[in-house]
Amino acid sequence: MSHGSVEKCEPNMTPMLDLVLQLVMFFMLCANFIAEDVNATIKLPTALQARPLDKAEDRVIFLNVDKEGKVLPNTRGITVPLTNRIMVANYMKDQAAFDDGLKKRAAEKGKPEPPPSLVVLRAHEDCKYEKIANIMLGCQEAGFPRIQFRAIVGTSK
Amino acid sequence: MSRRRRHASNPFVEPDLPITPMLDMSFQLLAFFLMTFNPTPTEGHLDVTLPKRDGGPSTKLPDPFTTDEAEEFTIRVEADDKGDVGSVSISVGKEGGGVDVPGKGREARTNLFKDLQNRLAAAKNDHAERNKSTGESKPFVPPKIKLELANELNFKIVIAIMDESNRAGYPTVAPALKDDKK
């Protein structure tokens, strides 16, 4: 028994590190910080027939509508809640000006005219339909006929 | 001296990579992402067909309610004091009146779903017989649905009615306010 021949006993860290880095990668990819201009406070209704979103859409305008029917501020120009149809129509007219710019550029390049932007209404499930209808009317007045309702994709029991 | 001797016997120097700090950092990152991980439920969309408005810009789009071949069902929904379905009636075309769907709330929605399924089956049979008698093979176009909704209905009820209409086989549903007769 000689004390001079003590061997160093180290655990093999490499597989563990591999695993940890893979987990880190997974959570980094899943972390969706600012994917869309969506508001997490809105409780969406559930629909079985809700279809997945079309990734081919060039420009989508999200309108988050709370329980009282107000369009909540977003990162695209809404600074105060929009409370009536006229305010929605004015905001959407500003957005229409951007669409017109896109159309002009497409015409200059000889490309086909792009369709009007898609408006996605993310409305709280307890909001009264009258409020939603007024928002849709505001969008329609400003020249946005393409509207979709957002819902949580439900599963049949 | 001893060092020089070891170098002489083994010319390759084994690199010593410090894994411990890297592992510490990885664990910290892992803990951060684990704590902030909040999987959001999958969102989808329901397409909305806007009813025609006089002088509105939406007239650029094809309007399903002005085409001759597309039959139209009008579903009128009244609200109760909680924003749920109070009463439902269905009429064909632009005629007034309509047939009442029995029940309230969820029961009314279930009965509406069954009624719509029966009407679609009948419309398919009529279409097949018409094709047989004329010798043509025109494709079947499901009737359009126009919803005339009470102001006080909750949005989730509107979505549920649109959802059930789609599930019953009607892809085109146009929600409008009951008092908005344009």
Side-chain angles (χ1 to χ4, degrees):
Chain A
M1 219 181 176
S2 73
H3 287 282
S5 64
V6 177
E7 280 181 24
K8 227 183 181 181
C9 181
E10 273 185 4
N12 190 0
M13 292 291 208
T14 316
M16 191 180 181
L17 191 62
D18 286 350
L19 182 84
V20 168
L21 285 176
Q22 283 200 21
L23 282 172
V24 167
M25 191 82 84
F26 168 75
F27 285 111
M28 278 178 79
L29 291 177
C30 286
N32 208 355
F33 292 111
I34 318 165
E36 288 169 348
D37 204 351
V38 297
N39 190 316
T41 59
I42 288 165
K43 194 180 174 203
L44 294 177
T46 306
L48 291 173
Q49 291 289 308
R51 285 174 294 156
L53 302 167
D54 188 5
K55 301 245 167 154
E57 283 296 338
D58 286 337
R59 190 160 178 264
V60 181
I61 301 169
F62 286 94
L63 295 180
N64 294 292
V65 185
D66 72 358
K67 210 173 169 179
E68 281 78 42
K70 289 179 283 189
V71 180
L72 298 177
N74 65 6
T75 55
R76 285 195 190 175
I78 303 180
T79 49
V80 290
L82 309 180
T83 51
N84 58 47
R85 177 178 60 81
I86 296 165
M87 287 174 86
V88 173
N90 286 340
Y91 168 71
M92 293 307 290
K93 276 173 190 163
D94 290 344
Q95 300 294 313
F98 186 86
D99 270 17
D100 290 342
L102 289 180
K103 279 180 197 166
K104 206 180 270 179
R105 253 174 277 154
E108 282 167 7
K109 289 177 185 171
K111 289 182 180 173
E113 188 178 286
S117 296
L118 175 71
V119 179
V120 173
L121 275 182
R122 294 184 79 255
H124 195 284
E125 62 174 20
D126 292 330
C127 178
K128 298 291 173 206
Y129 185 67
E130 185 186 16
K131 306 281 185 185
I132 309 280
N134 276 331
I135 292 167
M136 285 165 60
L137 185 57
C139 295
Q140 209 174 350
E141 281 175 2
F144 290 90
R146 298 172 64 223
I147 297 179
Q148 286 179 354
F149 289 149
R150 269 283 175 101
I152 300 293
V153 180
T155 48
S156 51
K157 287 167 194 170
Chain B
M1 184 74 175
S2 64
R3 206 178 185 184
R4 208 175 292 152
R5 210 175 291 146
R6 205 186 301 150
H7 271 272
S9 62
N10 183 10
F12 301 106
V13 178
E14 216 173 274
D16 188 20
L17 193 70
I19 287 199
T20 316
M22 195 174 174
L23 196 61
D24 287 348
M25 191 199 68
S26 305
F27 272 125
Q28 285 199 18
L29 279 173
L30 184 62
F32 169 74
F33 285 114
L34 268 171
M35 283 189 281
T36 55
F37 185 58
N38 184 19
T40 47
T42 315
E43 287 185 17
H45 67 83
L46 288 173
D47 285 318
V48 181
T49 306
L50 295 174
K52 184 180 164 63
R53 287 197 169 273
D54 295 335
S58 70
T59 48
K60 285 177 192 166
L61 283 188
D63 181 18
F65 299 122
T66 55
T67 52
D68 294 333
E69 65 276 8
E71 201 180 4
E72 178 190 326
F73 291 162
T74 303
I75 302 175
R76 289 180 193 83
V77 186
E78 297 289 346
D80 63 10
D81 51 352
K82 288 176 188 160
D84 203 342
V85 176
S87 66
V88 183
S89 66
I90 304 182
S91 59
V92 180
K94 291 185 167 75
E95 69 188 36
V99 182
D100 288 338
V101 177
K104 283 184 173 186
R106 183 179 281 270
E107 188 194 353
R109 292 203 330 253
T110 310
N111 290 334
L112 174 67
F113 177 69
K114 285 178 191 159
D115 190 307
L116 286 175
Q117 277 186 322
N118 292 339
R119 282 171 189 265
L120 189 70
K124 275 182 184 167
N125 279 343
D126 285 353
H127 179 79
E129 275 177 22
R130 221 176 301 137
N131 268 352
K132 209 183 220 176
S133 61
T134 56
E136 291 173 327
S137 56
K138 281 184 182 173
F140 175 70
V141 182
K144 324 284 181 193
I145 288 184
K146 183 181 181 186
L147 298 176
E148 288 185 1
L149 305 163
N151 291 356
E152 296 304 311
L153 267 181
N154 281 343
F155 183 56
K156 67 178 168 195
I157 303 299
V158 177
I159 289 288
I161 294 170
M162 287 178 71
D163 192 29
E164 276 151 16
S165 305
N166 283 340
R167 277 200 296 137
Y170 301 82
T172 309
V173 183
L177 282 178
K178 188 180 55 138
D179 303 328
D180 195 2
K181 293 285 182 191
K182 271 185 226 171

